[in-house]
Amino acid sequence: MKREAFSSKIGLILAAAGSAVGLGNIWKFPYIAGENGGGAFLLIYLACVIVFGVPLIMMELYIGKRSRKSPYGAFRALSGSGRWQWLSWLCVLTAVLIMGFYFVVTGWCFSYLSEALIGGFRGMSTDTLAEHFTAVTANTPRMLVFSILPVLVTSAVAWFAINKGIERMSKLLMPMLLLIMLIMVIRVLMLEGSMSGLRFFLHADFSKITPDVFIQAMGQCFFSLSIGMGTLVTYGSYMPQEQSLSQASVQVVILDTLVAFLAGVIIFPAVFSFGFNPAEGPQLVFVVLPAIFEQMSFSWLSGVLFFLLLGIAAITSTISLMEVVVAFIGEATATTRHPLNRRTSVCIVTGIAVVLVVLCLLQQTAFSVFEQLTANYLMPLGALCMSVLVGWTLSRPDEAAYLNEKGFQPWMVKAFSFVLRWVVPAMILLVFLHGLNLF
Ligand code: PHE
């Protein structure tokens, strides 16, 4: 059967950017930057994006585009043997674990959106909002409803496959997301005192740069760009043949970084102009922002727009997470006696997602373990292994010829292969060793 593909270049760009742009940009990035010195963090983050982001996205898209397979078959096709099969299992495992906690945070966004819609934060101070956040997130039945809702929305998109599902949704939601962001940026920059927030975010205080900031920045870079667990391999397998790998990678990186940057531009000026602490942690957008909206004119609209923004960003990411597992199941069963079609796979993955969501809701530990384990260990590990595999594969004449044909000069292939073989693994290992406190 012919593999479905995105109908246009922009389809792939919006889908991949939709995967990358998510809670990582709007919820996580501002609070991690806030805790790690604002501008200083931004600078290191940008360095990570250039060193890891561009080559690794290009690598994953290349794996998918070249093999026209999801991680299940792609590593085998590339290496010519089954020795790398476990790497595909690592990818699905990571995708499944991310789904567990990601749907829960998406549930918080949906729940906050519903409250913003009915004006539920009216008259609440930051203290009451902090208590409110604890109470809402601890309300298991409510959270169950609000977390399963995004699971069902995501399943519905997966059900309609690539063109009618993923591509159509990305083309609808991504422009909406960018528009809402622009409105919010203009709105916030008009607030009195917003400039001190902007200064905090843009001024690099080098005394704040410690080795730990590097680890945080690297983990954030992998998570935010959806690198190291096969999302982009899967999307790459639906990439139009005529699309350029290098251009697509740079475009996705720019979009993702722009959104993270704009999230900072929205959040810090608002935080500063109302005298809050930028290092508020994970609650930053759920506690400080509703409090700020309450003090602004057009408070209802600001709250609704912001949580809508979060919800949209989250959904385009969960769509890509689910696609990794759906495509994997389809391919893994294709040659067995019971091949599963897309719709059956979607039902299975929906079931798995619901079970994990329930687990994360009932066990706070599961939530934290999944969150830490995936971003800080499994994704860098996946990226490290893929990088070594592809780096060595590129030294084969047939692979180099393929890239030459696609417009890569021979020196570019050499440089790409060198970066994948040595630079990326060395940097990731360095960060790992540091994380294990070996120096
Ligand atoms: N990149 C997404 C974000 O920033 C998270 C994600 C990771 C999505 C891995 C898909 C795969 O929120």
Side-chain angles (χ1 to χ4, degrees), residues 59-96:
M59 166 194 83
E60 285 205 28
L61 289 177
Y62 160 76
I63 300 176
K65 185 182 178 191
R66 177 85 170 113
S67 64
R68 295 271 128 189
K69 290 198 163 57
S70 86
Y72 182 80
F75 302 134
R76 174 187 290 270
L78 218 63
S79 64
S81 76
R83 252 182 305 163
W84 290 83
Q85 196 63 54
W86 55 272
L87 186 52
S88 67
W89 287 97
L90 181 70
C91 288
V92 249
L93 175 72
T94 312
V96 166

Side-chain angles (χ1 to χ4, degrees), residues 19-25 98 102 223-226 229 231 317 320-321 379:
S19 166
V21 171
L23 298 170
N25 305 57
I98 297 179
Y102 207 89
F223 187 75
S224 183
L225 290 169
S226 313
M229 35 73 65
T231 304
S317 296
S320 73
L321 282 167
M379 295 174 82

Side-chain angles (χ1 to χ4, degrees), residues 193-374:
S194 63
M195 284 308 138
S196 45
L198 214 51
R199 221 168 291 131
F200 168 79
F201 186 45
L202 297 182
H203 174 77
D205 173 1
F206 289 99
S207 68
K208 289 268 167 40
I209 299 184
T210 60
D212 191 51
V213 177
F214 280 93
I215 300 196
Q216 298 272 357
M218 184 179 88
Q220 175 61 18
C221 168
F222 280 87
F223 187 75
S224 183
L225 290 169
S226 313
I227 297 173
M229 35 73 65
T231 304
L232 295 162
V233 174
T234 310
Y235 277 6
S237 72
Y238 310 129
M239 188 170 179
Q241 279 300 355
E242 70 280 8
Q243 188 159 18
S244 148
L245 286 165
S246 50
Q247 264 175 22
S249 324
V250 172
Q251 284 161 346
V252 172
V253 167
I254 290 180
L255 272 173
D256 186 71
T257 310
L258 183 73
V259 171
F261 179 77
L262 289 182
V265 171
I266 293 172
I267 287 159
F268 293 115
V271 167
F272 274 77
S273 83
F274 290 99
F276 290 105
N277 178 6
E280 191 66 39
Q283 338 190 5
L284 188 67
V285 306
F286 292 103
V287 172
V288 177
L289 280 187
I292 291 170
F293 295 144
E294 280 314 298
Q295 297 176 38
M296 293 192 339
S297 43
F298 302 109
S299 63
W300 180 84
L301 191 63
S302 310
V304 170
L305 277 185
F306 182 78
F307 288 108
L308 186 64
L309 173 72
L310 266 183
I312 292 178
I315 285 294
T316 51
S317 296
T318 56
I319 290 173
S320 73
L321 282 167
M322 194 174 273
E323 183 59 25
V324 172
V325 193
V326 169
F328 183 94
I329 295 182
E331 231 164 71
T333 59
T335 50
T336 64
R337 257 189 301 150
H338 302 288
L340 296 177
N341 64 18
R342 166 169 283 268
R343 296 192 169 170
T344 317
S345 309
V346 170
C347 295
I348 295 174
V349 183
T350 307
I352 298 177
V354 169
V355 170
L356 284 165
V357 163
V358 172
L359 184 68
C360 284
L361 282 175
L362 296 179
Q363 285 288 334
Q364 171 63 35
T365 342
F367 179 97
S368 327
V369 168
F370 290 180
E371 188 196 353
Q372 295 294 319
L373 189 68
T374 51

Side-chain angles (χ1 to χ4, degrees), residues 49-59 225 246 249-250 253 416:
V49 164
I50 294 169
V51 174
F52 297 118
V54 177
L56 288 178
I57 291 192
M58 194 150 89
M59 166 194 83
L225 290 169
S246 50
S249 324
V250 172
V253 167
F416 187 35

